[in-house]
Amino acid sequence: MKVLITGANGQVGQALVNKLQGKAELLAVTREQLDITNEAKVKAQVLAFLPDVIINAAAYTAVDKAEQEQELAHQINAAGPEFLAKAAESINAALLHISTDYVFAGDKQDNYNELDTTNPQGVYGATKLAGELAVAAYCQKHIILRTAWVFYENGTNFVKTMLRLGKERDSLGIVGDQFGGPTYAGDIADALIQIAQKITSGYTTNYGIYHFSGMPHVNWFEFASVIFDAAVKQQVIDKKPQLNAITTADFPTPAKRPANSKLNCEKIQREFGITPSNWQLALDRIEDY
């Protein structure tokens, strides 16, 4: 299996490289090594390597900053995936593309499934949706994997932020009215690799959109509480700070966050036998964060 990974220094990108090294013919590129917003360079790289599968883990993920850097967010999240999709199609490769819960408005009462109407509320979500549409339009063999609340040992994420703040402060206000499924990047990588292996082994694949995130669903306040319990138990911090649940209105941000990021993951389980990410298990090694 020949695999091209873009965004190799991101959370999912690093997890993919760690898991695929020695198990596949691998070309993993960072933004410095391949700028996916340059169509000519994308085409040349894909034609030179001729991958069976391209996994696009490159993304502009600075949700608030995207409100000001709209053009840059669009280039990375929409134009880049379009160029990768066209290049993949030209050599009959499959494109596995990571997307987000932010394509939804976040106002549904129940979990979001793949057929629910998209309605992004900010630039980040809008550019990610444009990327989804481009991938679907230009590459027949595509998998769009929507996920949420990603964390990993490396990179910037909620777990690392909580651990840092927990060492600095005695009390913290954490948003308690936004719900979702924390998702360990290593589990996202495992899901993508499993799909890639099935595609390359000739498995009849139902291409399209799939949801993959962690269970059980929690709010940020609940997630923080579990993080600190694990950190105290593993002696990463001395004591759990006082946690106070606050509302989204109490913590204004330039970009609107979805109140409901809960994704229904039944389709990927049915089609590929992939179960939701066990995010609590990933916190068993919290000293690595």
Side-chain angles (χ1 to χ4, degrees):
M1 181 168 75
K2 291 182 77 173
V3 183
L4 170 62
I5 298 169
T6 61
N9 55 354
Q11 294 185 103
V12 178
Q14 288 182 69
L16 283 163
V17 171
N18 291 340
K19 288 170 181 290
L20 277 173
Q21 236 151 16
K23 295 178 184 172
E25 196 176 333
L26 190 60
L27 177 61
V29 291
T30 64
R31 188 181 177 188
E32 289 71 36
Q33 293 164 321
L34 177 63
D35 178 1
I36 64 167
T37 70
N38 185 317
E39 186 169 14
K41 287 184 177 174
V42 168
K43 193 182 292 184
Q45 184 72 86
V46 169
L47 287 174
F49 184 60
L50 294 174
D52 303 307
V53 177
I54 299 170
I55 304 179
N56 181 31
Y60 181 107
T61 57
V63 175
D64 289 323
K65 224 170 160 187
E67 297 297 314
Q68 277 73 51
E69 297 184 344
Q70 297 188 21
E71 182 53 34
L72 181 60
H74 178 82
Q75 284 298 310
I76 297 169
N77 290 344
E82 177 182 324
F83 302 151
L84 288 166
K86 288 175 175 175
E89 184 70 16
S90 74
I91 61 163
N92 195 34
L95 175 59
L96 278 50
H97 173 72
I98 303 165
S99 193
T100 174
D101 56 294
Y102 275 74
V103 299
F104 297 115
D107 55 3
K108 186 182 178 184
Q109 295 304 306
D110 202 1
N111 300 351
Y112 279 98
N113 65 51
E114 290 83 354
L115 297 175
D116 280 324
T117 304
T118 52
N119 183 18
Q121 299 295 294
V123 172
Y124 169 68
T127 58
K128 289 296 288 180
L129 178 58
E132 285 190 10
L133 295 171
V135 166
Y138 293 108
C139 182
Q140 287 184 17
K141 291 163 68 173
H142 70 270
I143 297 284
I144 293 163
L145 194 76
R146 291 182 184 142
T147 190
W149 294 23
V150 181
F151 68 97
Y152 193 52
E153 288 87 350
N154 303 322
T156 304
N157 56 65
F158 186 75
V159 176
K160 295 188 85 166
T161 300
M162 287 301 102
L163 292 175
R164 176 175 56 80
L165 292 175
K167 290 170 184 172
E168 296 171 359
R169 302 184 194 172
D170 294 325
S171 68
L172 294 169
I174 311 289
V175 173
D177 59 357
Q178 294 172 18
F179 293 83
T183 315
Y184 179 58
D187 294 336
I188 299 171
D190 283 336
L192 289 165
I193 291 166
Q194 201 170 320
I195 292 168
Q197 286 170 335
K198 289 205 168 180
I199 290 169
T200 54
S201 65
Y203 175 82
T204 304
T205 307
N206 284 324
Y207 292 102
I209 299 171
Y210 289 86
H211 288 175
F212 177 79
S213 67
M215 292 288 279
H217 293 134
V218 286
N219 59 41
W220 291 111
F221 174 83
E222 291 165 333
F223 187 25
S225 185
V226 177
I227 291 166
F228 287 122
D229 286 342
V232 171
K233 185 180 177 185
Q234 295 172 51
Q235 299 179 325
V236 172
I237 58 174
D238 295 331
K239 63 180 177 64
K240 184 176 182 176
Q242 170 71 40
L243 299 182
N244 306 303
I246 61 172
T247 66
T248 301
D250 294 328
F251 189 71
T253 54
K256 187 181 177 185
R257 265 68 176 165
N260 176 16
S261 290
K262 294 185 283 189
L263 300 177
N264 180 319
C265 301
E266 289 172 9
K267 182 183 174 187
I268 197 168
Q269 200 160 348
R270 198 168 57 242
E271 186 63 32
F272 294 104
I274 294 169
T275 55
S277 171
N278 184 339
W279 58 267
Q280 289 167 309
L281 197 61
L283 297 177
D284 285 350
R285 307 177 300 278
I286 209 157
E287 69 274 5
D288 295 338
Y289 288 82

